[in-house]
């Protein structure tokens, strides 16, 4: 048998190829990497020096077996159905994709509503609540990243799967399905509201005061925005929208910066005040504060997508997915902080308790539409539209995944392009009709923050205790139990505040509509 030179042996993969459902090969450490590694493994005795007296064919077999033994115990049991679903059909993600997706999910229209919360909370409580919420959600984000592969040989590709592993099949399903689906659908509805309103303002700015064309109504602008969302939603899976997420991240960072810079650079209204808004009764004031805290909680949505984003990455024993995921998430949340805090603080400084319920964008247009150049205002609003279109895609992907999972489990075959398109058209118009029926953006944000708060702030703490099982009565044990139950208590309180605020807004709209 002809012997091959040593250089050819180096290029031989250290392990047999393992295909993911999408057909993507998971990256494997090459023989060169194994040669330079100093870490001890159970197969460290199979070294080039040890193998040198042995013939070339035997050496090749032992080298391949070495790589296999290094990864055995970490091979993921793959569900064949995952190859047909939008979340898991592609596993070629990386740290860059993770940063793009987390930024797109974490920065968006919710930042524009933070000054509304500050109008009810004031300086001290506003900054304190925003800071605590940011630190708290960073901790629970780290928990979710670590729990993605907490059990060897198993990847929890979706938030619901991790909840079922922690709380049990039935209880986990009930606890996780409603808030995660509600968060995805509620965010999509809110995006239609803010996107349609912003498109209307953009048209008014571009058309100018002397425009003679008949403008569309607000509902018609909602329909235009929904149609654009449906067209973009035809991209098949989570990795395929990485480019959209990058566009959404860049536009969100840009318009967030432009909005607060333009606001603080203009002269403040003469009747501005920084005292928290006072309402006729103490009960009304309490519910308004709870709704404001719900808006702060809603600003840090996105944890329902962490496991889904991480599941798009290949994972091996030497290169686990949590490393690039956490690297990308840290970068993303650094920029998220650079957007949320300046918008909240700068917006409240510029408008105080005169902040309208629609957020800082409405305040900028209402107070300074004649002071700022039309081109600059139009660019800001156009960036908001692009960001909302991109965010709609990533928040809708878990719902698309659920629709297709139900279909494929019943038919035992992948969705055709027509079935997939039908699901996405149906979902888009359902959110459109909800948005038309409930056009109370700030109240909707508070209610969303209250109902979905456990997904971000409570459930991860309970999951850590139930899966990792820290020592009973240890600091780690007490810390996670306290955080978890605090999250549940805040969720109940903020939900009540959001419901009260939405009902109050609805009554005002119905009975006190100006003529």
């Amino acid at each position: 048998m002809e012997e091959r030179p040593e250089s050819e042996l180096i290029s031989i993969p250290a392990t047999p190829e393992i295909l993911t459902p999408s057909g993507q090969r998971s990256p494997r450490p090459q023989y060169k990497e194994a040669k330079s590694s100093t870490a001890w493994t159970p197969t460290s005795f199979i070294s080039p020096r040890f193998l040198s007296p042995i013939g070339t064919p035997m050496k090749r077999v032992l080298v391949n077996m070495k790589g296999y033994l290094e990864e055995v115990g970490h091979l993921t049991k793959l569900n064949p159905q995952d190859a047909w679903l939008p979340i898991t059909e592609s596993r070629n993600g990386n740290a860059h994709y993770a940063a793009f997706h987390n930024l797109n999910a974490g920065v968006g229209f919710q930042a524009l509503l933070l000054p509304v919360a500050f109008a009810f909370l004031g300086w001290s409580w506003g900054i304190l609540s925003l800071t605590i919420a940011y630190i708290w959600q960073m901790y629970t984000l780290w928990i979710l990243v670590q729990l993605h592969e907490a059990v060897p040989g198993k990847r929890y590709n979706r938030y619901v799967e991790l909840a079922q592993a922690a709380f049990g099949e039935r209880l986990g399903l009930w606890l996780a399905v409603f808030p995660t689906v509600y968060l995805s659908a509620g965010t999509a509805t809110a995006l239609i509201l803010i996107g349609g309103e912003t498109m209307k303002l953009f048209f008014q700015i571009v058309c100018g005061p002397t425009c003679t064309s008949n403008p569309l109504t607000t509902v018609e602008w909602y329909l235009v925005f929904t149609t654009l969302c449906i067209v973009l939603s035809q991209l098949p899976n989570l990795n395929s929208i990485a480019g959209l997420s990058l566009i959404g991240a860049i536009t969100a960072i840009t318009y967030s910066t432009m909005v607060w810079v333009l606001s603080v650079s203009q002269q403040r209204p003469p009747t501005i005040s920084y005292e928290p808004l006072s309402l006729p009764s103490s009960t009304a004031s309490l519910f308004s504060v709870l709704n404001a805290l719900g808006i702060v909680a809603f600003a840090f949505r996105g944890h329902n997508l962490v496991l889904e984003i991480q599941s798009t990455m290949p994972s091996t024993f030497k290169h686990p997915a949590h490393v690039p995921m956490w690297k990308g998430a840290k970068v993303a949340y650094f920029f998220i902080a650079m957007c949320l805090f300046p918008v909240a603080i700068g917006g409240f400084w510029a408008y105080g308790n005169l902040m309208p319920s629609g957020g800082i964008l409405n305040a900028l247009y209402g107070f300074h539409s004649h002071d700022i150049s039309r081109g600059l205002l139009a660019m800001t609003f156009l960036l908001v539209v692009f960001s909302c279109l991109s965010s709609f895609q990533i928040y809708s992907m878990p719902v698309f995944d659920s629709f297709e999972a139900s279909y494929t489990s019943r038919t035992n075959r992948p969705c055709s392009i027509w079935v997939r398109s039908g699901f996405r058209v149906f979902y888009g118009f359902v959110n459109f009709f909800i948005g038309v029926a409930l056009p109370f953006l700030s109240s909707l944000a508070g209610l969303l923050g209250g109902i979905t708060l456990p997904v971000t702030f409570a459930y991860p703490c309970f999951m850590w205790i139930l899966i990792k099982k820290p020592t009973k009565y240890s600091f780690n044990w007490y810390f996670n139990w306290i955080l978890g139950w605090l999250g549940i208590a805040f969720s109940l309180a903020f939900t009540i505040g959001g419901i009260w605020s939405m009902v109050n807004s609805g009554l005002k709209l119905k009975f006190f509509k100006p003529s």
Side-chain angles (χ1 to χ4, degrees), residues 294-295 297-298 445-454 490-492 494-495:
I295 293 175
F298 184 56
L447 182 61
L448 280 169
I451 292 179
T452 61
L453 184 145
F490 286 151
S491 174
L492 294 174
F494 298 168
T495 301

Side-chain angles (χ1 to χ4, degrees), residues 159-480:
Y159 196 99
V160 175
E161 293 177 9
L162 184 61
Q164 289 178 310
F167 303 118
E169 291 288 330
R170 180 169 296 182
L171 180 60
L173 188 66
W174 281 102
L175 289 176
V177 165
F178 175 71
T180 53
V181 172
Y182 184 81
L183 181 56
S184 295
T187 301
T189 301
L191 285 167
I192 290 174
L193 294 178
I194 192 70
E197 290 279 2
T198 308
M199 290 181 76
K200 180 180 178 181
L201 294 176
F202 173 76
F203 177 81
Q204 291 175 355
I205 293 171
V206 172
C207 194
T210 59
C211 184
T212 58
S213 63
N214 294 324
L216 299 178
T217 64
T218 303
V219 173
E220 289 171 337
W221 281 114
Y222 292 162
L223 182 60
V224 172
F225 183 84
T226 303
T227 304
L228 292 175
C229 288
I230 291 173
V231 171
L232 290 176
S233 70
Q234 302 309 311
L235 292 170
N237 56 61
L238 192 55
N239 271 338
S240 68
I241 65 169
L244 277 179
S245 289
L246 175 60
I247 294 173
I250 293 173
T251 53
I253 293 172
T254 305
Y255 81 69
S256 296
T257 305
M258 290 178 66
V259 163
W260 74 262
V261 168
L262 289 175
S263 296
V264 301
S265 63
Q266 302 299 317
Q267 187 174 1
R268 287 178 290 175
T271 58
I272 192 172
S273 172
Y274 298 111
E275 292 295 324
L277 286 171
S278 57
L279 296 177
S281 65
S282 57
T283 302
S285 297
L286 174 62
F287 285 139
S288 296
V289 168
L290 293 176
N291 182 61
L293 291 172
I295 293 175
V296 173
F298 184 56
F300 297 105
R301 83 232 198 282
H303 284 44
N304 63 311
L305 297 168
V306 172
L307 296 171
E308 284 80 354
I309 294 171
Q310 195 168 346
S311 69
T312 64
M313 301 178 181
S315 185
T316 65
F317 182 73
K318 283 194 171 183
H319 302 280
H322 70 82
V323 176
M325 178 63 190
W326 182 237
K327 190 180 298 183
K330 286 189 294 184
V331 173
Y333 276 86
F334 170 78
F335 284 104
I336 289 171
M338 294 299 100
C339 292
L340 299 187
F341 282 87
V343 167
I345 296 172
F348 186 57
W349 182 87
Y351 305 109
N353 56 17
L354 298 178
M355 177 68 60
S357 61
I360 189 174
L361 202 62
N362 286 11
L364 183 66
Y365 182 79
F367 287 103
H368 303 299
S369 58
H370 300 294
D371 304 325
I372 302 173
S373 68
R374 286 170 53 192
L376 203 56
L377 274 178
M379 181 183 297
T380 304
F381 291 162
L382 187 61
L383 291 173
V384 173
V385 173
F386 287 156
S387 175
C388 290
L389 286 171
S390 302
S391 296
F392 185 93
Q393 309 309 316
I394 191 167
Y395 269 94
S396 301
M397 199 60 71
V399 181
F400 299 157
D401 189 84
S402 298
F403 284 159
E404 295 186 29
S406 177
Y407 176 86
T408 56
S409 63
R410 292 185 180 185
T411 62
N412 198 28
R413 63 184 179 187
C415 291
S416 66
I417 187 172
W418 298 109
V419 173
R420 174 172 280 182
S421 297
F423 282 145
R424 301 184 182 197
V425 171
F426 170 77
Y427 173 76
F429 281 109
V430 165
N431 285 291
F432 164 74
F433 288 118
I434 295 174
V436 172
L438 302 173
F440 321 120
L441 183 57
S442 61
S443 303
L444 182 62
L447 182 61
L448 280 169
I451 292 179
T452 61
L453 184 145
V455 173
T456 300
F457 295 97
Y459 290 167
C461 300
F462 294 140
M463 292 172 182
W464 181 264
I465 295 171
L466 295 173
I467 294 177
K468 287 294 187 179
K469 302 187 186 308
T471 304
K472 202 171 184 180
Y473 306 123
S474 64
F475 172 79
N476 194 354
W477 188 85
Y478 275 118
F479 183 69
N480 283 286

Side-chain angles (χ1 to χ4, degrees), residues 98-162:
F100 301 159
H101 288 317
N102 279 288
L103 263 172
N104 189 28
V107 181
F109 74 93
Q110 77 279 8
L112 305 176
L113 298 174
L114 284 174
V116 179
F118 273 51
F120 291 97
L121 299 174
W123 280 119
S124 301
W125 286 107
I127 294 175
L128 182 63
S129 61
L130 189 60
T131 304
I132 292 175
Y134 180 79
I135 297 172
W136 191 344
Q137 63 86 33
M138 280 300 293
Y139 172 66
T140 54
L141 174 67
W142 176 83
I143 286 178
L144 291 175
V145 171
Q146 297 300 315
L147 290 181
H148 177 75
E149 295 175 283
V151 178
K154 172 69 177 175
R155 294 183 70 177
Y156 298 111
N157 296 316
R158 297 162 183 84
Y159 196 99
V160 175
E161 293 177 9
L162 184 61

